[in-house]
Amino acid sequence: MCSEFTVFSKIKPGHADALRADLAELAEGSADVEARAALRQIGTLHDARHVIFDNDTRHMFASVFDGSWDTYIDDFGKTAVGARFDKVFSHTEGFPGVADPGVKDWFLARQAPAGVFVSSYPDLTVQRIWKDQRVNEAFQAVLDTPEFRAALDNPANAELLATPAFQKLMEEAAG
């Protein structure tokens, strides 16, 4: 389900500090409503990171995402994330802009596929992880109610409570 994407680009001479400032601004704003809404709208990004290296001459962008690479790149251009990409990559040589028809070729020319890519949850999409999180939060809220505690103590529920499936559920909830 998930794939990796890593791009190495050259930083324009004299732009490393501006790139660093834009990345800091991006990191500070990653919790803002617009950024969160865009990531929710895209709904496929597991993680992303930027690294400045080689004495401030090179930039690496790496991410993990669900679905096809083409869709992943297209989705960024349709949201506020595209403007953020434009701002960051404007400090790199030759970046045409995320809306430019040649942007995919630019990325592909600078992409370096991982020799090994390991994921702890290769079959879980971002959408599934979000759903699992919502279900877990709702389940945890139920566990904390007096009504649930009373149901556990009710002899009428003893057969259900003794099943291996229920025992496993309670063990997982406790862990």
Side-chain angles (χ1 to χ4, degrees):
M1 289 283 169
C2 59
S3 302
E4 62 85 26
F5 177 55
T6 306
V7 172
F8 295 96
S9 57
K10 292 181 181 177
I11 299 171
K12 292 176 182 175
H15 279 247
D17 288 339
L19 173 56
R20 195 172 282 106
D22 285 345
L23 291 175
E25 183 182 314
L26 181 68
E28 290 171 11
S30 65
D32 75 25
V33 174
E34 183 183 32
R36 286 281 145 213
L39 291 176
R40 281 262 183 219
Q41 181 182 351
I42 293 168
T44 59
L45 180 66
H46 287 266
D47 63 68
R49 56 221 160 273
H50 295 267
V51 178
I52 297 172
F53 65 106
D54 279 351
N55 295 318
D56 291 351
T57 63
R58 297 183 67 205
H59 168 254
M60 179 197 78
F61 170 76
S63 64
V64 176
F65 62 95
D66 297 327
S68 79
W69 182 83
D70 281 320
T71 302
Y72 170 71
I73 299 300
D74 290 343
D75 284 347
F76 282 118
K78 298 175 188 172
T79 68
V81 176
R84 293 166 189 254
F85 260 52
D86 279 343
K87 189 171 188 178
V88 167
F89 283 100
S90 72
H91 300 292
T92 64
E93 293 181 358
F95 185 68
V98 78
D100 188 285
V103 74
K104 288 181 182 178
D105 291 333
W106 188 89
F107 280 128
L108 286 173
R110 288 152 184 83
Q111 181 181 12
V116 175
F117 172 64
V118 177
S119 174
S120 294
Y121 46 92
D123 297 328
L124 290 179
T125 65
V126 170
Q127 296 295 320
R128 181 59 197 220
I129 292 167
W130 287 342
K131 180 180 180 183
D132 290 353
Q133 184 178 18
R134 290 189 308 272
V135 169
N136 181 55
E137 289 168 358
F139 181 66
Q140 293 298 328
V142 167
L143 290 178
D144 293 338
T145 64
E147 294 84 4
F148 182 76
R149 288 282 146 217
L152 290 177
D153 295 335
N154 186 332
N157 295 325
E159 191 174 323
L160 169 66
L161 301 180
T163 65
F166 191 85
Q167 291 299 311
K168 181 177 180 182
L169 178 66
M170 293 307 291
E171 287 173 17
E172 291 293 331

